[in-house]
Amino acid sequence: MPAGWFLLLVIAALVVILLYQRFTFQKGIQTKLEQISRKLEEISETDSDEKVMVFTDNSALMELTGEINRLLVDRQKMKAEFKRGELASKKMLSNISHDIKTPMTVILGYLEIMRLSHAEDEMLQKVEAKAKQVMELINQFFTLAKLEAGDAEITLSRIDISEICRESALGFYEILMQKEFEVELSIPERAVYAQGEKNALERILFNLLSNAVRYGSDGKYLGICLREEEGSVAIDVTDQGKGIEKEFADRIFERLYTMEDSRNREIQGNGLGLTIAKNLAVSMGGDLSVDSIPGIKTTFTVRLKKMDY
């Protein structure tokens, strides 16, 4: 073989080797970048505090990974600071609500004394009624602040859901009859047990039944259904009022969220009742959800962990 041809073959072989090495290098870089991308997506979806780990000799990739991890550390610090600030705000709100309750209690006491000697004074009656509304709002703020700050004392035990549902319905019997509601109860006569706290569940049902009476007056219907599911107990509170539009259904449990529909109706008078009910349900290891078909029916469902008999 002539020397020229041999030289050409050597050059061609070197070119092929270089192209192969370049292809392999680029493919390796692409693979590492895909690993980094997948890891970042996983961290974002799970909201974890993990870091990106990539084993490589490439200095550019190592520098990129280092910068990404520094950003992740900063993100972790910001999350911790936000949580600390949020907890401090909740505790401050709890303390403020508690401090306001004392003078309001005194004011209500004086108003009651004045009413005893001026029973027919309409202005005094109106002032006392408004003062009681303010006190109730303060109590709700106080309850919510304690729940969100983790200071609420909720002792979980085995409770009879059937009995609590019957007692809650009985507490609204008079007002339901006055408003000419059709009442449908589906509550087993036997005991149905779940994990919870009696006072907390009574508070949830009080809020849900109050809402049903207030906003279900168009349909004149109230239903309470206690159902046993696999591993859980569900309580449905249903009315046939105006209902809740789908775009608002996911937001009605937010703190202080209120909404008015086309007929100028608020979902919740002060935006706290449903938030408190949701927090109480979650605190008992359960949940509170809503399913509404506007103009047909609205059902709030409380779910708690089922317990053995």
Side-chain angles (χ1 to χ4, degrees):
M1 178 184 295
W5 283 103
F6 178 76
L7 183 60
L8 287 174
L9 287 174
V10 171
I11 292 174
L14 289 174
V15 169
V16 170
I17 293 172
L18 288 173
L19 289 174
Y20 176 76
Q21 288 180 338
R22 184 174 180 180
F23 171 78
T24 304
F25 176 78
Q26 289 180 340
K27 187 173 180 61
I29 294 294
Q30 182 178 351
T31 300
K32 297 296 183 184
L33 288 173
E34 289 174 352
Q35 290 177 0
I36 293 173
S37 177
R38 285 195 298 269
K39 189 61 179 179
L40 286 173
E41 185 177 359
E42 178 186 337
I43 291 173
S44 176
E45 289 179 351
T46 60
D47 196 30
S48 71
D49 294 327
E50 293 183 77
K51 303 296 183 292
V52 175
M53 300 293 292
V54 176
F55 300 98
T56 179
D57 296 329
N58 186 274
S59 58
L61 274 180
M62 292 175 65
E63 184 176 352
L64 174 63
T65 303
E67 290 298 327
I68 289 174
N69 285 332
R70 275 189 283 274
L71 289 173
L72 289 174
V73 170
D74 290 341
R75 169 179 173 268
Q76 185 177 350
K77 290 179 180 177
M78 291 175 64
K79 282 171 52 182
E81 290 174 1
F82 175 79
K83 288 180 180 179
R84 282 195 295 269
E86 188 178 35
L87 183 59
S89 297
K90 290 173 180 177
K91 286 186 176 295
M92 181 182 68
L93 179 59
S94 177
N95 292 335
I96 291 174
S97 300
H98 183 269
D99 292 341
I100 295 175
K101 286 178 68 175
T102 302
M104 280 302 303
T105 302
V106 174
I107 291 171
L108 284 170
Y110 281 125
L111 286 171
E112 185 175 355
I113 293 172
M114 293 171 64
R115 182 170 49 79
L116 290 175
S117 56
H118 301 82
E120 304 301 324
D121 191 329
E122 292 186 7
M123 291 298 294
L124 185 58
Q125 292 175 7
K126 290 180 180 179
V127 170
E128 185 179 22
K130 290 298 181 183
K132 288 181 178 179
Q133 288 181 7
V134 172
M135 190 63 172
E136 175 59 23
L137 181 59
I138 292 171
N139 285 332
Q140 290 195 357
F141 265 113
F142 184 58
T143 300
L144 181 58
K146 288 184 66 177
L147 284 168
E148 293 187 337
D151 294 334
E153 296 181 1
I154 296 180
T155 304
L156 300 181
S157 62
R158 190 182 73 160
I159 57 176
D160 184 355
I161 307 297
S162 297
E163 180 184 0
I164 295 173
C165 286
R166 282 192 291 267
E167 290 176 353
S168 297
L170 185 61
F172 279 81
Y173 177 80
E174 185 175 346
I175 189 172
L176 289 169
M177 293 301 99
Q178 288 176 355
K179 292 181 176 290
E180 299 180 343
F181 268 66
E182 175 191 350
V183 180
E184 183 177 358
L185 301 181
S186 180
I187 303 172
E189 293 185 5
R190 59 180 175 80
V192 176
Y193 294 105
Q195 173 184 273
E197 203 269 342
K198 187 174 186 292
N199 292 333
L201 182 56
E202 286 176 343
R203 180 68 178 270
I204 293 172
L205 291 176
F206 178 84
N207 288 345
L208 296 182
L209 292 171
S210 296
N211 272 2
V213 171
R214 183 181 304 160
Y215 304 129
S217 56
D218 288 355
K220 298 290 184 182
Y221 172 85
L222 174 66
I224 302 176
C225 177
L226 174 58
R227 300 179 288 113
E228 294 182 75
E229 300 177 341
E230 185 176 354
S232 65
V233 174
I235 307 169
D236 298 325
V237 177
T238 302
D239 69 75
Q240 295 179 353
K242 296 182 180 68
I244 306 166
E245 297 294 339
K246 187 176 181 180
E247 59 266 30
F248 300 111
D250 293 334
R251 299 195 59 193
I252 61 173
F253 298 112
E254 294 179 10
R255 188 194 319 161
L256 296 179
Y257 179 76
T258 58
M259 180 209 77
E260 295 182 355
D261 63 13
S262 58
R263 297 191 183 184
N264 197 34
R265 174 179 68 87
E266 290 187 345
I267 286 296
Q268 179 69 19
N270 54 40
L272 291 176
L274 291 177
T275 308
I276 291 172
K278 177 82 169 183
N279 275 270
L280 286 171
V282 173
S283 297
M284 293 188 290
D287 195 17
L288 173 61
S289 59
V290 62
D291 182 28
S292 181
I293 304 174
I296 299 179
K297 72 173 183 176
T298 297
T299 300
F300 285 90
T301 301
V302 186
R303 282 188 172 82
L304 296 175
K305 181 181 178 181
K306 186 178 179 180
M307 298 192 73
D308 295 332
Y309 295 95

